[in-house]
Amino acid sequence: MTMQIINSDLVDATPGDDRSIDELYARRRVPLIEKHGARIRAFFAAVLPPMIVLAILLGLWQLLCIAPTSALPSPTRIWSEANDLILHPFFVAGPQDIGLGWRVLTSLQRVAIGFGLASVAGVLLGVIVGQSRWAMRGLDPLFQILRTVPPLAWLPISLAAFRDSYPSAIFVIFITSIWPIIINTAVGVRNIPQDYRNVAAVLRLNQFEFFWKIMIPSAAPYIFTGLRIGVGLSWLAIVAAEMLTGGVGIGFFIWDAWNSSRLPDIFVALAYIGVTGFVLDRIVAAIGVIATRGAQAS
């Protein structure tokens, strides 16, 4: 004898009920694992592989540096000697004795100013170079030469010009990050479809309207590609500049730890730098996806 299990909603349904069988089934309670199964699988698919690789690398690092005579500290030694920097990133014990969280924020303030200025100037110059053939011929070779200059090579010039470490560091960030923004913006403007330009001519859009309604939306994927490269270069430049200019930034902390032979502190600071750089890249990428509605530069 076969027993049938019938949903209570189906039992309560009357012959004259307008609700369909599918609607009644849709009302039944679905377990969370079944309802969000796809999201859970996607989460573990994104998180587990890097966690496994990280665990393997830490294990190999521990085996290679476990000897007391090893030149580099092992992960367990780093934890035992520098766990206060990991667990308490925002402590303040003096003008120079502060947590790595405050040092990262100090460096980020400089990056925000320098990268913000580079973003505005880079987009405007990129539009000019991309829109004008004469500007491209005159400025593009100069940009290609200047963008190969290492960030620290600009530091003596900026110190001589500003005579202060704070604006000098901002200038180094600016001059380092502006080139990929200019170049990618110019490429995006040059790749605007001719049909868009024809529509703008038919609608008789002025230069300002063409800039906001046609040029910026069409070149946005290229612009945000340049911004992602630029923000990464900004973070690299500030860390390098702070090693020489001093202050309370994360770069000077690494240099000071080296002079004090605190290698575990340096490894912790490198972890902070890497995580912060990754977060900056993800933020710019997320803004780019929203602004371009998922479009990508071809």
Short mmCIF file of all heavy atoms in Angstrom, two decimals, residues 120-173:
data_model
loop_
_atom_site.label_atom_id
_atom_site.label_comp_id
_atom_site.label_asym_id
_atom_site.label_seq_id
_atom_site.Cartn_x
_atom_site.Cartn_y
_atom_site.Cartn_z
N VAL A 120 41.39 63.56 -11.89
CA VAL A 120 40.76 64.69 -12.60
C VAL A 120 41.64 65.16 -13.75
O VAL A 120 41.19 65.29 -14.89
CB VAL A 120 40.49 65.84 -11.61
CG1 VAL A 120 39.95 67.06 -12.35
CG2 VAL A 120 39.51 65.39 -10.53
N ALA A 121 42.91 65.40 -13.46
CA ALA A 121 43.82 65.89 -14.50
C ALA A 121 44.03 64.85 -15.59
O ALA A 121 44.10 65.18 -16.79
CB ALA A 121 45.16 66.28 -13.89
N GLY A 122 44.13 63.58 -15.20
CA GLY A 122 44.37 62.52 -16.18
C GLY A 122 43.21 62.35 -17.15
O GLY A 122 43.42 62.18 -18.36
N VAL A 123 41.98 62.40 -16.63
CA VAL A 123 40.82 62.26 -17.51
C VAL A 123 40.73 63.45 -18.47
O VAL A 123 40.48 63.27 -19.68
CB VAL A 123 39.53 62.12 -16.67
CG1 VAL A 123 38.30 62.21 -17.57
CG2 VAL A 123 39.53 60.80 -15.92
N LEU A 124 40.93 64.66 -17.97
CA LEU A 124 40.85 65.84 -18.83
C LEU A 124 41.93 65.82 -19.91
O LEU A 124 41.65 66.07 -21.09
CB LEU A 124 40.96 67.10 -17.99
CG LEU A 124 39.79 67.37 -17.03
CD1 LEU A 124 40.04 68.63 -16.22
CD2 LEU A 124 38.48 67.46 -17.77
N LEU A 125 43.16 65.52 -19.52
CA LEU A 125 44.24 65.45 -20.51
C LEU A 125 44.02 64.30 -21.48
O LEU A 125 44.31 64.42 -22.68
CB LEU A 125 45.58 65.29 -19.80
CG LEU A 125 46.13 66.54 -19.11
CD1 LEU A 125 47.39 66.19 -18.32
CD2 LEU A 125 46.43 67.64 -20.12
N GLY A 126 43.51 63.17 -20.98
CA GLY A 126 43.22 62.05 -21.86
C GLY A 126 42.16 62.38 -22.89
O GLY A 126 42.26 61.95 -24.06
N VAL A 127 41.16 63.14 -22.48
CA VAL A 127 40.12 63.56 -23.42
C VAL A 127 40.72 64.46 -24.50
O VAL A 127 40.41 64.32 -25.70
CB VAL A 127 38.98 64.28 -22.67
CG1 VAL A 127 38.05 64.98 -23.65
CG2 VAL A 127 38.21 63.28 -21.83
N ILE A 128 41.57 65.39 -24.10
CA ILE A 128 42.19 66.29 -25.07
C ILE A 128 43.06 65.52 -26.05
O ILE A 128 42.99 65.72 -27.27
CB ILE A 128 43.02 67.36 -24.34
CG1 ILE A 128 42.11 68.26 -23.51
CG2 ILE A 128 43.83 68.18 -25.33
CD1 ILE A 128 42.86 69.24 -22.64
N VAL A 129 43.87 64.60 -25.53
CA VAL A 129 44.76 63.83 -26.39
C VAL A 129 43.96 62.90 -27.30
O VAL A 129 44.29 62.73 -28.49
CB VAL A 129 45.75 63.01 -25.53
CG1 VAL A 129 46.57 62.06 -26.40
CG2 VAL A 129 46.68 63.95 -24.77
N GLY A 130 42.90 62.30 -26.77
CA GLY A 130 42.10 61.39 -27.59
C GLY A 130 41.25 62.09 -28.62
O GLY A 130 40.97 61.53 -29.68
N GLN A 131 40.83 63.33 -28.33
CA GLN A 131 39.93 64.05 -29.22
C GLN A 131 40.67 64.82 -30.29
O GLN A 131 40.18 64.99 -31.41
CB GLN A 131 39.04 65.00 -28.40
CG GLN A 131 37.91 65.64 -29.17
CD GLN A 131 36.81 64.66 -29.52
OE1 GLN A 131 36.86 63.49 -29.16
NE2 GLN A 131 35.81 65.14 -30.26
N SER A 132 41.88 65.29 -29.97
CA SER A 132 42.63 66.12 -30.91
C SER A 132 43.82 65.34 -31.47
O SER A 132 44.67 64.86 -30.71
CB SER A 132 43.12 67.40 -30.21
OG SER A 132 44.00 68.11 -31.05
N ARG A 133 43.88 65.23 -32.76
CA ARG A 133 45.00 64.52 -33.39
C ARG A 133 46.31 65.28 -33.20
O ARG A 133 47.36 64.66 -33.00
CB ARG A 133 44.71 64.33 -34.87
CG ARG A 133 45.76 63.53 -35.61
CD ARG A 133 45.29 63.21 -37.01
NE ARG A 133 44.07 62.40 -36.99
CZ ARG A 133 43.43 62.01 -38.10
NH1 ARG A 133 43.89 62.36 -39.29
NH2 ARG A 133 42.33 61.28 -38.00
N TRP A 134 46.27 66.60 -33.22
CA TRP A 134 47.49 67.38 -33.02
C TRP A 134 47.98 67.25 -31.59
O TRP A 134 49.20 67.18 -31.35
CB TRP A 134 47.23 68.85 -33.37
CG TRP A 134 47.11 69.08 -34.84
CD1 TRP A 134 45.96 69.28 -35.55
CD2 TRP A 134 48.17 69.09 -35.79
NE1 TRP A 134 46.23 69.43 -36.89
CE2 TRP A 134 47.59 69.33 -37.07
CE3 TRP A 134 49.55 68.94 -35.71
CZ2 TRP A 134 48.34 69.42 -38.23
CZ3 TRP A 134 50.30 69.03 -36.87
CH2 TRP A 134 49.71 69.26 -38.11
N ALA A 135 47.06 67.25 -30.63
CA ALA A 135 47.46 67.07 -29.23
C ALA A 135 48.08 65.70 -29.01
O ALA A 135 49.05 65.55 -28.26
CB ALA A 135 46.26 67.26 -28.31
N MET A 136 47.54 64.69 -29.69
CA MET A 136 48.09 63.34 -29.55
C MET A 136 49.51 63.28 -30.11
O MET A 136 50.41 62.71 -29.50
CB MET A 136 47.19 62.34 -30.27
CG MET A 136 47.68 60.89 -30.17
SD MET A 136 46.69 59.75 -31.15
CE MET A 136 47.06 60.33 -32.81
N ARG A 137 49.73 63.91 -31.25
CA ARG A 137 51.06 63.88 -31.85
C ARG A 137 52.06 64.66 -31.01
O ARG A 137 53.24 64.28 -30.94
CB ARG A 137 50.99 64.47 -33.27
CG ARG A 137 50.23 63.60 -34.27
CD ARG A 137 50.14 64.29 -35.62
NE ARG A 137 49.43 63.46 -36.59
CZ ARG A 137 49.13 63.85 -37.83
NH1 ARG A 137 49.50 65.06 -38.25
NH2 ARG A 137 48.49 63.05 -38.65
N GLY A 138 51.61 65.72 -30.36
CA GLY A 138 52.54 66.53 -29.60
C GLY A 138 52.80 66.02 -28.19
O GLY A 138 53.93 66.11 -27.69
N LEU A 139 51.76 65.47 -27.54
CA LEU A 139 51.88 65.11 -26.13
C LEU A 139 52.13 63.62 -25.89
O LEU A 139 52.76 63.26 -24.90
CB LEU A 139 50.60 65.53 -25.38
CG LEU A 139 50.33 67.02 -25.31
CD1 LEU A 139 48.99 67.28 -24.63
CD2 LEU A 139 51.46 67.74 -24.58
N ASP A 140 51.64 62.77 -26.77
CA ASP A 140 51.76 61.33 -26.52
C ASP A 140 53.21 60.87 -26.40
O ASP A 140 53.53 60.10 -25.48
CB ASP A 140 51.04 60.53 -27.61
CG ASP A 140 51.03 59.05 -27.32
OD1 ASP A 140 50.36 58.64 -26.34
OD2 ASP A 140 51.70 58.28 -28.04
N PRO A 141 54.14 61.32 -27.27
CA PRO A 141 55.54 60.89 -27.06
C PRO A 141 56.11 61.35 -25.72
O PRO A 141 56.86 60.61 -25.07
CB PRO A 141 56.28 61.56 -28.24
CG PRO A 141 55.23 61.78 -29.27
CD PRO A 141 53.99 62.09 -28.51
N LEU A 142 55.73 62.55 -25.29
CA LEU A 142 56.20 63.05 -24.00
C LEU A 142 55.65 62.20 -22.86
O LEU A 142 56.38 61.85 -21.92
CB LEU A 142 55.79 64.51 -23.82
CG LEU A 142 56.21 65.18 -22.51
CD1 LEU A 142 57.73 65.26 -22.41
CD2 LEU A 142 55.59 66.58 -22.42
N PHE A 143 54.38 61.84 -22.94
CA PHE A 143 53.78 61.00 -21.90
C PHE A 143 54.44 59.63 -21.86
O PHE A 143 54.68 59.07 -20.78
CB PHE A 143 52.27 60.84 -22.15
CG PHE A 143 51.50 62.10 -21.99
CD1 PHE A 143 50.24 62.24 -22.57
CD2 PHE A 143 52.00 63.16 -21.26
CE1 PHE A 143 49.52 63.41 -22.41
CE2 PHE A 143 51.29 64.34 -21.10
CZ PHE A 143 50.04 64.47 -21.68
N GLN A 144 54.73 59.07 -23.02
CA GLN A 144 55.35 57.75 -23.07
C GLN A 144 56.74 57.75 -22.44
O GLN A 144 57.17 56.74 -21.87
CB GLN A 144 55.42 57.26 -24.52
CG GLN A 144 54.07 57.06 -25.19
CD GLN A 144 53.24 55.98 -24.53
OE1 GLN A 144 53.76 55.09 -23.85
NE2 GLN A 144 51.93 56.02 -24.74
N ILE A 145 57.44 58.86 -22.54
CA ILE A 145 58.78 58.96 -21.93
C ILE A 145 58.67 59.15 -20.42
O ILE A 145 59.34 58.48 -19.64
CB ILE A 145 59.57 60.12 -22.57
CG1 ILE A 145 59.87 59.81 -24.05
CG2 ILE A 145 60.87 60.38 -21.81
CD1 ILE A 145 60.52 60.96 -24.80
N LEU A 146 57.81 60.07 -19.99
CA LEU A 146 57.72 60.39 -18.57
C LEU A 146 57.14 59.25 -17.74
O LEU A 146 57.49 59.10 -16.57
CB LEU A 146 56.86 61.65 -18.38
CG LEU A 146 57.45 62.95 -18.91
CD1 LEU A 146 56.48 64.10 -18.69
CD2 LEU A 146 58.79 63.26 -18.26
N ARG A 147 56.27 58.44 -18.35
CA ARG A 147 55.64 57.38 -17.56
C ARG A 147 56.63 56.26 -17.19
O ARG A 147 56.35 55.46 -16.30
CB ARG A 147 54.47 56.78 -18.33
CG ARG A 147 54.84 55.90 -19.51
CD ARG A 147 53.63 55.38 -20.23
NE ARG A 147 53.96 54.47 -21.31
CZ ARG A 147 54.09 53.16 -21.16
NH1 ARG A 147 53.92 52.61 -19.97
NH2 ARG A 147 54.40 52.38 -22.18
N THR A 148 57.78 56.22 -17.85
CA THR A 148 58.78 55.19 -17.54
C THR A 148 59.72 55.61 -16.41
O THR A 148 60.54 54.81 -15.97
CB THR A 148 59.61 54.86 -18.78
OG1 THR A 148 60.30 56.03 -19.23
CG2 THR A 148 58.71 54.35 -19.91
N VAL A 149 59.60 56.85 -15.94
CA VAL A 149 60.47 57.32 -14.86
C VAL A 149 60.00 56.68 -13.55
O VAL A 149 58.82 56.78 -13.21
CB VAL A 149 60.43 58.85 -14.75
CG1 VAL A 149 61.30 59.33 -13.59
CG2 VAL A 149 60.90 59.48 -16.06
N PRO A 150 60.87 56.04 -12.77
CA PRO A 150 60.47 55.42 -11.51
C PRO A 150 59.94 56.46 -10.52
O PRO A 150 60.36 57.63 -10.55
CB PRO A 150 61.76 54.77 -10.99
CG PRO A 150 62.62 54.62 -12.20
CD PRO A 150 62.29 55.77 -13.10
N PRO A 151 59.04 56.08 -9.63
CA PRO A 151 58.45 57.05 -8.68
C PRO A 151 59.49 57.76 -7.83
O PRO A 151 59.41 58.99 -7.65
CB PRO A 151 57.52 56.18 -7.84
CG PRO A 151 57.19 55.01 -8.70
CD PRO A 151 58.40 54.76 -9.52
N LEU A 152 60.47 57.02 -7.29
CA LEU A 152 61.44 57.64 -6.39
C LEU A 152 62.36 58.62 -7.11
O LEU A 152 62.98 59.46 -6.46
CB LEU A 152 62.27 56.57 -5.69
CG LEU A 152 61.53 55.72 -4.66
CD1 LEU A 152 62.47 54.75 -3.99
CD2 LEU A 152 60.87 56.61 -3.61
N ALA A 153 62.44 58.52 -8.44
CA ALA A 153 63.27 59.48 -9.16
C ALA A 153 62.68 60.88 -9.13
O ALA A 153 63.39 61.87 -9.29
CB ALA A 153 63.45 59.02 -10.61
N TRP A 154 61.35 60.98 -8.91
CA TRP A 154 60.70 62.27 -8.82
C TRP A 154 60.85 62.90 -7.44
O TRP A 154 60.60 64.10 -7.27
CB TRP A 154 59.21 62.14 -9.14
CG TRP A 154 58.91 61.75 -10.54
CD1 TRP A 154 58.52 60.52 -11.00
CD2 TRP A 154 58.94 62.60 -11.69
NE1 TRP A 154 58.33 60.55 -12.35
CE2 TRP A 154 58.57 61.82 -12.80
CE3 TRP A 154 59.25 63.95 -11.89
CZ2 TRP A 154 58.50 62.34 -14.09
CZ3 TRP A 154 59.17 64.47 -13.16
CH2 TRP A 154 58.81 63.67 -14.25
N LEU A 155 61.22 62.10 -6.43
CA LEU A 155 61.23 62.60 -5.06
C LEU A 155 62.23 63.74 -4.84
O LEU A 155 61.87 64.75 -4.21
CB LEU A 155 61.49 61.44 -4.09
CG LEU A 155 61.32 61.77 -2.61
CD1 LEU A 155 59.92 62.30 -2.33
CD2 LEU A 155 61.60 60.53 -1.75
N PRO A 156 63.49 63.65 -5.30
CA PRO A 156 64.40 64.79 -5.10
C PRO A 156 63.89 66.08 -5.73
O PRO A 156 64.04 67.17 -5.16
CB PRO A 156 65.70 64.31 -5.73
CG PRO A 156 65.61 62.83 -5.74
CD PRO A 156 64.17 62.51 -5.95
N ILE A 157 63.27 65.96 -6.92
CA ILE A 157 62.75 67.15 -7.59
C ILE A 157 61.60 67.75 -6.78
O ILE A 157 61.51 68.98 -6.61
CB ILE A 157 62.30 66.79 -9.02
CG1 ILE A 157 63.49 66.30 -9.84
CG2 ILE A 157 61.62 67.98 -9.69
CD1 ILE A 157 63.12 65.83 -11.22
N SER A 158 60.71 66.90 -6.28
CA SER A 158 59.58 67.41 -5.51
C SER A 158 60.04 68.01 -4.18
O SER A 158 59.49 69.03 -3.74
CB SER A 158 58.57 66.28 -5.26
OG SER A 158 59.17 65.23 -4.50
N LEU A 159 61.05 67.42 -3.54
CA LEU A 159 61.56 67.98 -2.29
C LEU A 159 62.22 69.34 -2.55
O LEU A 159 62.09 70.27 -1.74
CB LEU A 159 62.56 67.02 -1.66
CG LEU A 159 61.98 65.77 -1.00
CD1 LEU A 159 63.11 64.82 -0.58
CD2 LEU A 159 61.11 66.13 0.20
N ALA A 160 62.91 69.46 -3.66
CA ALA A 160 63.53 70.74 -4.00
C ALA A 160 62.48 71.80 -4.32
O ALA A 160 62.67 72.99 -4.01
CB ALA A 160 64.48 70.57 -5.18
N ALA A 161 61.38 71.39 -4.92
CA ALA A 161 60.34 72.34 -5.32
C ALA A 161 59.46 72.76 -4.14
O ALA A 161 59.15 73.94 -3.97
CB ALA A 161 59.49 71.76 -6.43
N PHE A 162 59.04 71.79 -3.31
CA PHE A 162 58.09 72.08 -2.23
C PHE A 162 58.75 72.29 -0.87
O PHE A 162 58.14 72.88 0.02
CB PHE A 162 57.07 70.95 -2.14
CG PHE A 162 56.23 70.77 -3.37
CD1 PHE A 162 56.48 69.71 -4.24
CD2 PHE A 162 55.22 71.65 -3.66
CE1 PHE A 162 55.71 69.54 -5.38
CE2 PHE A 162 54.44 71.49 -4.80
CZ PHE A 162 54.68 70.43 -5.67
N ARG A 163 59.97 71.78 -0.71
CA ARG A 163 60.72 71.92 0.55
C ARG A 163 59.93 71.41 1.76
O ARG A 163 60.06 71.94 2.86
CB ARG A 163 61.13 73.39 0.75
CG ARG A 163 62.02 73.90 -0.34
CD ARG A 163 62.52 75.30 -0.05
NE ARG A 163 63.36 75.77 -1.16
CZ ARG A 163 64.64 75.49 -1.31
NH1 ARG A 163 65.24 74.72 -0.40
NH2 ARG A 163 65.33 75.95 -2.34
N ASP A 164 59.13 70.41 1.54
CA ASP A 164 58.38 69.79 2.63
C ASP A 164 58.01 68.37 2.20
O ASP A 164 57.67 68.14 1.02
CB ASP A 164 57.13 70.60 2.96
CG ASP A 164 56.42 70.06 4.20
OD1 ASP A 164 56.96 70.19 5.31
OD2 ASP A 164 55.32 69.49 4.03
N SER A 165 58.04 67.44 3.15
CA SER A 165 57.83 66.04 2.79
C SER A 165 56.38 65.73 2.42
O SER A 165 56.13 64.88 1.56
CB SER A 165 58.27 65.13 3.95
OG SER A 165 57.51 65.39 5.11
N TYR A 166 55.42 66.42 3.07
CA TYR A 166 54.01 66.08 2.83
C TYR A 166 53.57 66.38 1.39
O TYR A 166 53.09 65.49 0.69
CB TYR A 166 53.12 66.82 3.83
CG TYR A 166 51.69 66.35 3.82
CD1 TYR A 166 51.29 65.23 4.56
CD2 TYR A 166 50.72 67.02 3.07
CE1 TYR A 166 49.97 64.80 4.55
CE2 TYR A 166 49.41 66.58 3.05
CZ TYR A 166 49.04 65.48 3.80
OH TYR A 166 47.73 65.04 3.78
N PRO A 167 53.72 67.63 0.90
CA PRO A 167 53.35 67.86 -0.51
C PRO A 167 54.25 67.12 -1.49
O PRO A 167 53.82 66.80 -2.61
CB PRO A 167 53.48 69.38 -0.65
CG PRO A 167 54.40 69.80 0.43
CD PRO A 167 54.16 68.86 1.56
N SER A 168 55.49 66.85 -1.08
CA SER A 168 56.39 66.10 -1.98
C SER A 168 55.87 64.69 -2.21
O SER A 168 55.89 64.19 -3.35
CB SER A 168 57.79 66.06 -1.38
OG SER A 168 58.33 67.34 -1.26
N ALA A 169 55.40 64.04 -1.14
CA ALA A 169 54.85 62.69 -1.28
C ALA A 169 53.59 62.71 -2.15
O ALA A 169 53.37 61.82 -2.99
CB ALA A 169 54.54 62.11 0.09
N ILE A 170 52.76 63.73 -1.97
CA ILE A 170 51.54 63.84 -2.79
C ILE A 170 51.90 64.04 -4.26
O ILE A 170 51.27 63.46 -5.15
CB ILE A 170 50.67 65.00 -2.27
CG1 ILE A 170 50.12 64.65 -0.88
CG2 ILE A 170 49.52 65.28 -3.23
CD1 ILE A 170 49.33 65.76 -0.24
N PHE A 171 52.92 64.85 -4.53
CA PHE A 171 53.35 65.06 -5.92
C PHE A 171 53.86 63.75 -6.53
O PHE A 171 53.57 63.47 -7.71
CB PHE A 171 54.43 66.12 -5.98
CG PHE A 171 55.02 66.30 -7.36
CD1 PHE A 171 54.34 67.01 -8.32
CD2 PHE A 171 56.24 65.72 -7.69
CE1 PHE A 171 54.88 67.16 -9.59
CE2 PHE A 171 56.78 65.87 -8.96
CZ PHE A 171 56.10 66.59 -9.91
N VAL A 172 54.60 62.97 -5.77
CA VAL A 172 55.10 61.69 -6.28
C VAL A 172 53.93 60.77 -6.63
O VAL A 172 53.95 60.09 -7.67
CB VAL A 172 56.04 61.03 -5.25
CG1 VAL A 172 56.36 59.59 -5.66
CG2 VAL A 172 57.32 61.83 -5.11
N ILE A 173 52.91 60.75 -5.79
CA ILE A 173 51.72 59.95 -6.09
C ILE A 173 51.06 60.45 -7.37
O ILE A 173 50.69 59.67 -8.25
CB ILE A 173 50.73 60.01 -4.91
CG1 ILE A 173 51.34 59.36 -3.67
CG2 ILE A 173 49.42 59.32 -5.27
CD1 ILE A 173 50.53 59.61 -2.42
#
